[in-house]
Amino acid sequence: HVQLVESGGDSVRAGGSLRLSCTASRDLHGRYCMGWFRRTPSLEREGVALLDVSGHDDYADSVKGRFIISIDSANNTLYLQMNTLKPEDTAMYYCAADHPTPAGLCPGVERVADLGHSGPGTQVTVS
């Protein structure tokens, strides 16, 4: 079982930046599909970023060019660098992880919220 804990959420002005962190209870690099999703104030879930087992990243169109997902495997920590934040980025942000398929495939970024393990979330508010 993988335990995930997010941190770094805050209230910021539009145009600002934040870096979210997700500390995992074990080394996920190269073994798990990892990503970030968010739940908006209207309770809609949206996959935001995905990092697959090969290290390839993918992003929702709404954040492409502004957000960057990365991993520090030495510290079992997944990051989400968020730049040029907009009010519509306001949401609870969750990191998620799960094993790939037997063929080594990860789901698309739109399905990050369906990964089997996720943390309690961290709130981001942009005004």
Side-chain angles (χ1 to χ4, degrees), residues 46-74:
E46 179 187 17
V48 172
L50 173 75
L51 189 65
D52 72 15
V53 294
S54 299
H56 297 116
D57 56 1
D58 196 13
Y59 302 90
D61 287 343
S62 58
V63 307
K64 200 167 289 185
R66 300 189 296 123
F67 290 12
I68 301 171
I69 187 172
S70 63
I71 188 167
D72 177 355
S73 56

Side-chain angles (χ1 to χ4, degrees), residues 4 6 22 28 32-38 47-52 58 69 78-80 93-98 106 109 111-113 115 117-119:
L4 305 169
E6 304 90 343
C22 171
L28 304 180
Y32 284 78
C33 308
M34 298 172 282
W36 292 88
F37 69 95
R38 61 190 180 187
V48 172
L50 173 75
L51 189 65
D52 72 15
D58 196 13
I69 187 172
L78 185 71
Y79 297 103
L80 184 68
Y93 283 74
Y94 303 85
C95 66
D98 210 343
C106 293
V109 63
R111 292 183 54 201
V112 168
L115 294 176
H117 307 281
S118 60

